[in-house]
């Protein structure tokens, strides 16, 4: 056998060996990729859905991606205002994940999957304020500040919804409030920046809480009830001018020091900021818990079996629950997990929601009518 014949023979043998090894390697990878419940780590199921923007960072977190992959899922999510999701085609989607039960109930009617919506976590609405604004509101009876033993400045307090709504009804300006003189950043009408109530969950829930207080502790159930508070709801919305469809942008503007000194956000956004930022980056933040508020029950509506599996994992998987808490969400039925995670931030976070009353939320139909009337 000459040199060329010998080389060809060797190449054939090496090729056969490599082919055998490749087949064996693929088989081993498939077996190794299966976890205890049979899902495959190498051929993960891709789950597509539409989520509220307040959950975007949670799903984009590399640790969340890793935890889901370990359970055989890859999530591809796009964001939308919660109240705008039912306007989407949802073709090819496996789930929707709005910020509360009311829009989820609307979306549930379009789901063929039995088992209903799942609510893995929730977050109450809060108002973030710059310190000077909070102190002026406190001096005028609209806010009650909580002493902070670690600092001479208060970093948490209670927004008194009754007095605040009376001030809004009267078109009170910062210049009319005691202590605001000499602070040029406090000017114009006193108002809370919220999101568009027609498309956004937090904006709609703001109207739910405000209308409940304004109507003497009654939840709006019909057009007559909407009529009784329509004028005030219109003032709360129209004084803001153009509104965002997501709470993310106003919150980022607030943290960067621009925009209105009072902004309605989810507590989860504040808790996540505290967890992931250094204290010097927090600035003069004061967290105000409305004495009457609404909790945002983040509600996953499965549209396919894959979406159902994702919702179940978010509710039960210990690692995913841990990550949700890290992003500021309160897991349903497990207050101790949130308490432990925010133990270092109780100067800002009211773990027990002390003195906070939950307002009932109108039906989706009534709340939509209220939002449209408020927008004018």
């Amino acid at each position: 056998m000459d040199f060329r014949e010998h080389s060809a023979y060797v190449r054939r043998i090496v090729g056969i060996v490599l082919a055998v090894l490749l087949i064996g390697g693929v088989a081993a990878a498939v077996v190794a990729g299966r976890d205890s419940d049979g899902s495959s780590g190498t051929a993960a199921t891709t789950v597509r859905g539409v989520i509220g923007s307040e959950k975007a960072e949670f799903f984009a977190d590399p640790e969340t991606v890793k935890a889901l992959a370990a359970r055989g899922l890859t999530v591809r999510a796009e964001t939308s205002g919660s109240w705008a999701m039912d306007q989407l085609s949802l073709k090819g989607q496996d789930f929707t994940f709005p910020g509360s039960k009311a829009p989820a109930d609307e979306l549930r009617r379009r789901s063929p999957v039995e088992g209903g919506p799942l609510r893995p976590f929730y977050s109450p609405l809060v108002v973030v304020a710059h310190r000077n604004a909070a102190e002026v509101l406190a001096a005028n009876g609209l806010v009650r500040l909580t002493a902070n033993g670690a600092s001479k400045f208060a970093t948490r307090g209670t927004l008194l919804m009754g007095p605040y709504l009376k001030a809004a009804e009267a078109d009170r300006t910062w210049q009319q409030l005691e202590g605001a003189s000499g602070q040029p950043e406090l000017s114009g009408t006193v108002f809370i920046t919220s999101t568009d109530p027609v498309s956004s969950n937090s904006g709609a829930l703001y109207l739910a809480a405000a209308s409940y207080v304004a109507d003497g502790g009654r939840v709006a159930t019909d057009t007559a009830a909407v009529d009784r508070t329509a004028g005030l709801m219109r003032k709360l919305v129209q004084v803001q001018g153009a509104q965002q469809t997501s709470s993310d942008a106003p919150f980022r503007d607030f943290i960067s020091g621009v925009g209105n000194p009072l902004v309605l956000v989810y507590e989860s956004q504040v808790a996540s900021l505290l967890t992931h930022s250094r204290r010097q980056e927090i600035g003069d933040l004061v967290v105000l818990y409305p004495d009457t508020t609404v909790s945002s029950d983040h509600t996953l509506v499965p549209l396919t079996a894959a979406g159902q599996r994702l919702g179940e994992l978010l509710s039960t998987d210990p690692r995913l629950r841990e990550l949700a808490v890290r992003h500021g969400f309160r897991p349903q039925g497990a207050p101790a997990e949130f308490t432990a995670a925010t133990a270092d931030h109780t100067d800002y976070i009211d773990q027990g929601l002390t003195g906070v009353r939950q307002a009932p939320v109108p039906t989706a139909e009534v709340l939509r009518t209220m939002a449209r009337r408020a927008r004018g």
Side-chain angles (χ1 to χ4, degrees), residues 39-367:
S39 60
S40 171
T42 57
T45 299
T46 298
V47 187
R48 293 179 169 81
V50 185
I51 64 173
S53 63
E54 69 286 338
K55 294 180 282 289
E57 288 190 0
F58 166 69
F59 280 106
D61 186 335
E63 291 299 316
T64 302
V65 173
K66 181 179 177 181
L68 287 167
R71 306 298 286 172
L73 297 182
T74 297
V75 174
R76 298 283 183 261
E78 60 184 86
T79 60
S80 168
S82 293
W83 287 86
M85 288 182 187
D86 68 341
Q87 306 299 314
L88 304 176
S89 72
L90 301 183
K91 183 178 180 181
Q93 304 290 1
D94 296 293
F95 71 95
T96 61
F97 205 171
S100 64
K101 180 178 181 296
D105 287 343
E106 293 284 296
L107 291 160
R108 176 68 183 86
R109 298 188 181 98
R110 298 169 59 182
S111 172
V113 177
E114 296 296 329
L118 300 102
R119 292 186 283 277
F121 42 73
Y122 69 98
S123 182
L125 292 173
V126 299
V127 174
V128 290
H130 292 300
R131 184 180 300 130
N132 61 344
E135 290 174 345
V136 168
L137 293 178
N140 289 269
L142 279 69
V143 160
R144 184 170 57 247
L145 293 176
T146 302
N148 181 358
S151 170
K152 64 179 180 178
F153 300 111
T155 51
R156 176 158 59 87
T158 302
L159 175 68
L160 306 177
M161 285 292 285
Y164 168 71
L165 292 176
K166 288 181 180 178
E169 184 73 51
D171 298 318
R172 296 283 293 278
T173 65
W174 287 103
Q175 292 89 335
Q176 293 172 327
L177 299 182
E178 178 184 344
S181 61
Q183 302 192 56
E185 66 275 18
L186 299 180
S187 62
T189 305
V190 177
F191 68 90
I192 295 170
T193 292
S194 62
T195 53
D196 180 357
V198 172
S199 61
S200 171
N201 183 65
S202 58
L205 295 185
Y206 176 43
L207 294 187
S211 65
Y212 178 78
V213 174
D215 204 20
R218 291 181 290 182
V219 60
T221 58
D222 52 27
T223 302
V226 172
D227 290 342
R228 287 195 295 270
T229 62
L232 176 57
M233 298 304 103
R234 191 174 300 113
K235 282 192 174 187
L236 295 178
V237 169
Q238 295 189 357
V239 69
Q240 302 180 45
Q243 292 178 290
Q244 300 277 357
T245 58
S246 161
S247 61
D248 184 60
F251 184 56
R252 291 184 184 278
D253 286 345
F254 175 89
I255 295 301
S256 65
V258 300
N260 195 41
L262 303 172
V263 180
L264 183 82
V265 299
Y266 295 104
E267 180 196 59
S268 59
Q269 293 172 282
V270 178
S272 180
L273 175 73
L274 294 169
T275 301
H276 294 92
S277 301
R278 295 187 298 273
R279 281 303 174 104
Q280 60 266 33
E281 296 173 340
I282 306 302
D284 63 349
L285 171 72
V286 178
V287 184
L288 302 176
Y289 285 79
D291 58 7
T292 302
T293 190
V294 174
S295 282
S296 180
D297 291 319
H298 297 281
T299 306
L300 187 146
V301 179
L303 304 176
T304 66
Q308 177 83 10
R309 173 165 166 73
L310 173 63
E312 291 170 351
L313 285 174
L314 292 175
S315 300
T316 61
D317 185 83
R319 178 56 176 160
L320 288 169
R321 287 169 65 91
E322 176 189 348
L323 291 167
V325 171
R326 184 188 297 179
H327 282 271
F329 298 107
R330 295 177 180 246
Q332 294 282 3
E337 295 178 22
F338 182 81
T339 299
T342 57
D344 294 335
H345 307 298
T346 54
D347 45 347
Y348 291 95
I349 301 297
D350 184 354
Q351 295 177 318
L353 300 179
T354 309
V356 175
R357 178 172 57 168
Q358 289 291 321
V361 178
T363 65
E365 181 181 358
V366 171
L367 198 49

Side-chain angles (χ1 to χ4, degrees), residues 1-15:
M1 179 183 298
D2 63 20
F3 178 78
R4 283 179 295 181
E5 291 175 333
H6 178 74
S7 297
Y9 175 76
V10 170
R11 284 197 299 271
R12 284 197 297 273
I13 295 298
V14 170

